[in-house]
Structures are given as C-alpha cells and as structure tokens.
Amino acid sequence: MQGAMAAPSVAPVTRQISGRAAPAPVPDPSGPESWQSLAAAVADLPVLDASGRRVLFGALFRERRAVVVFVRHFLCYICKEYVEDLAKIPKSFLQEANVTLIVIGQSSYHHIEPFCKLTGYSHEIYVDPEREIYKTLGMKRGEEIASSGQSPHIKSNILSGSIRSLWRAVTGPLFDFQGDPAQQGGTLILGPGNNIHFIHCDRNRLDHKPINSVLQLVGVQHVNFTSRPSVIHV
C-alpha cells in the first residue's frame, strides 16, 4: 500500500516526499473521522517491552508525535539492515523535533535485547506477539509482486542475507522465526493523541519507506546513512 497523508483538516505534518505514485487515502473510506477511529482502535492494544511489561500502544504517542516502524520479523535480514540505519539517527535530531522513534516487532519479547545488540539500535522498541496492531492497521500478510525499487538501506543480496538469517535462527538460544515470516510491516506517524498523520503498509519485504523521506515529514534533520555503524554480523 502506498503511503498516504491524512486529510488537510487533520493538519498533516508536511507534504509527503516520495518517488512513488501519488498517495491514496487509507483507510477506506478516508477522512478525519476514519483516521481518528483507527488511531483510537490501536491505542488501546498492548505491546510488550524488553522485560515483558505490557504498555498500551497509545501511551507511546499520547504526548508527542511518533514515527512508528513495524518490521516483518527479527530474523529478516532486510529488517535487520533497515533497523541498523534507524540506529544511526542521532537522539539529538529527534529531541530537536520533539519526535519519538519506535520500532515494533511481532516476536516474543525475549528477542528484543539480542536484536538491539545485533543492530546497535537504542531507540524505543516493543513487540506485538499476537499481531493485533498489525491486523487492526490492515498490514499485509504475504507478499505482493510489485516493483519497490532499490532500497538505500539494504546492502546484502538475497543469498547472503538469507544464509545469515538462517544461521541466526539455528544458533540462537530460542529456535523460532522470531515472528510470522509471512507478515509484512509498515510505517506510521502518529500523535500527539489519537491522530494519524501518515501511514504506509508494505506490499512486500522491500517496500519500506526510505528513512529520510519519513524524517522530513516530521521535521527531523537529514541523516547520512553512507557510513554504517560497527555491528556484529552473524
């Protein structure tokens, strides 16, 4: 699903910067009421932090805007490399724009800490093990055959990336897929309160939004992702 901005009456963050086709309204029917209803529906659903503590999803964007990135699963090499670049966003850039950055996965909470160590990610991260928020937002399960272009965030090819993912699966302390492998992710801008300003549901594993295009929507400085952090590749 292509990214979409909220209707003008909802006071969108700014215009969308994207090389893809013009955005289509989501959800359908579009309009301020439907966007607010969707935000209210997911706000009351729980997520888990790294210690297993339940937090209402709405509490994460109640007081200020949040960029929320839903990933496929923690073993996905594409998600890993995308989150490695999210990790490069300086906290000072987010603080200047009064924006929170959040990653949501769909594994057991036990996988959060190892995934953060692997990617160098130190911003907020939670999991939705039952995929209730994914489902409520209408995020796709299964892959749509569509051209998503070359991602600036993915460096591995499918063979090397898949081998690394498999190796992490069989050598990890808990042998599982760390989430439903058919689930796709997406990106939202929410808050403060039950307001959705932008939503993009990935059509396939490569259909994520370029990070700087999302940061620009919330007034966060451009980040140079060409020099990558030192992370452990296994």
Side-chain angles (χ1 to χ4, degrees):
M1 181 182 296
Q2 294 297 317
M5 296 292 295
S9 58
V10 187
V13 178
T14 183
R15 64 189 178 93
Q16 182 179 353
I17 307 299
S18 174
R20 298 189 180 131
V26 280
D28 187 22
S30 62
E33 295 80 7
S34 62
W35 288 78
Q36 289 177 343
S37 296
L38 182 60
V42 296
D44 290 333
L45 296 174
V47 291
L48 304 179
D49 66 12
S51 64
R53 181 175 64 95
R54 288 165 59 95
V55 180
L56 287 182
F57 183 55
L60 306 181
F61 52 87
R62 182 179 297 138
E63 302 297 330
R64 59 180 175 174
R65 289 176 299 171
V67 173
V68 185
V69 177
F70 289 80
V71 298
R72 294 180 63 242
H73 57 89
F74 288 160
L75 277 181
C76 169
Y77 76 92
I78 291 172
C79 300
K80 169 184 171 290
E81 294 185 6
Y82 189 82
V83 173
E84 284 175 357
D85 274 2
L86 289 176
K88 295 188 67 176
I89 302 172
K91 292 186 177 181
S92 60
F93 285 17
L94 298 169
Q95 291 167 353
E96 288 170 5
N98 196 28
V99 170
T100 303
L101 175 63
I102 302 166
V103 165
I104 303 288
Q106 39 122 2
S107 72
S108 163
Y109 72 88
H110 298 95
H111 293 298
I112 292 178
E113 186 175 347
F115 185 71
C116 289
K117 288 181 178 178
L118 181 69
T119 59
Y121 181 84
S122 61
H123 304 289
E124 293 189 42
I125 182 169
Y126 304 87
V127 291
D128 173 23
E130 303 302 321
R131 298 186 295 116
E132 291 300 324
I133 301 174
Y134 286 79
K135 295 172 187 175
T136 304
L137 291 171
M139 292 189 175
K140 186 176 180 63
R141 189 174 182 277
E143 297 213 40
E144 178 182 332
I145 299 176
S147 176
S148 301
Q150 179 68 35
S151 170
H153 306 293
I154 308 307
K155 306 302 187 290
S156 299
N157 59 46
I158 188 170
L159 178 60
S160 64
S162 298
I163 290 173
R164 287 195 184 105
S165 294
L166 180 60
W167 179 252
R168 285 199 288 130
V170 300
T171 58
L174 298 173
F175 179 59
D176 59 38
F177 285 105
Q178 301 186 23
D180 182 350
Q183 179 67 56
Q184 302 303 315
T187 301
L188 285 84
I189 298 171
L190 307 100
N194 291 339
N195 293 297
I196 296 178
H197 303 282
F198 172 88
I199 182 169
H200 170 85
C201 294
D202 300 345
R203 296 170 296 174
N204 55 56
R205 67 189 67 193
L206 290 171
D207 192 37
H208 49 251
K209 298 297 293 181
I211 296 171
N212 274 320
S213 71
V214 178
L215 296 181
Q216 185 168 355
L217 294 177
V218 290
V220 174
Q221 296 182 48
H222 184 278
V223 178
N224 180 5
F225 295 111
T226 56
S227 58
R228 301 178 65 77
S230 297
V231 295
I232 302 172
H233 291 283
V234 295

